[in-house]
Amino acid sequence: MSSSPPIRWVSRQELAWNENAAFEAALDLLEKEPLASLSPEQRLAHLAFHAARSLERDRDAFFASTRAPLLRETLAAFDKLGATSHSSCLRAFLSGDLASSRAPLAPLTPHLRRYIDAFEPSFVRELRPNCTA
């Protein structure tokens, strides 16, 4: 028996008041839901989101603690998002080019936002008004 992947709901009012409501709800999902419970679209964003944060904080710890298969999957996620500086960093590390893996990283947010916008129904849905409210 498989359960459906997690989703976040936003009201029409939230969407009207806050142009970032859907993106913020998607980030909440990426922040809080376990990787194993996610759909393929969500998993890709989750890997990129968490890897980018880890790379910004402590690259050495990220590289030391992340298994090679997950690094390769994360590299594919960065490639799909078009996050070239992140892709280059991981590709350099995986090839043993440690100096190049230290290159500065561009912000991930614009790439992640485009991806989430393109796959928004996989992350966020509009909460329909309650008839009794």
Side-chain angles (χ1 to χ4, degrees):
M1 181 172 140
S2 73
S3 63
S4 58
I7 199 86
R8 292 296 185 264
W9 298 91
V10 292
S11 70
R12 186 170 288 159
Q13 291 82 8
E14 285 176 285
L15 293 169
W17 296 328
N18 178 2
E19 66 185 26
N20 294 313
F23 183 66
E24 290 168 3
L27 291 181
D28 180 72
L29 183 145
L30 298 176
E31 182 81 46
K32 296 178 180 170
E33 297 294 338
L35 187 59
S37 70
L38 302 178
S39 71
E41 295 83 8
Q42 294 168 341
R43 181 179 176 92
L44 185 146
H46 182 280
L47 289 171
F49 175 72
H50 286 281
R53 286 178 37 185
S54 294
L55 288 167
E56 290 168 10
R57 284 190 204 133
D58 188 346
R59 287 186 198 192
D60 291 330
F62 174 75
F63 292 139
S65 67
T66 309
R67 297 180 339 269
L70 196 57
L71 284 174
R72 286 190 288 277
E73 187 179 0
T74 302
L75 172 59
F78 285 143
D79 284 343
K80 177 92 175 180
L81 292 176
T84 55
S85 67
H86 293 80
S87 294
S88 296
C89 172
L90 283 190
R91 196 169 276 108
F93 175 79
L94 289 168
S95 71
D97 182 0
L98 299 183
S100 295
S101 73
R102 301 274 177 223
L105 299 173
L108 181 70
T109 303
H111 304 287
L112 191 59
R113 182 175 212 121
R114 273 192 299 279
Y115 179 81
I116 289 172
D117 286 349
F119 293 96
E120 189 173 292
S122 296
F123 294 90
V124 179
R125 302 224 177 104
E126 183 180 314
L127 183 63
R128 289 178 175 68
N130 187 336
C131 295
T132 60

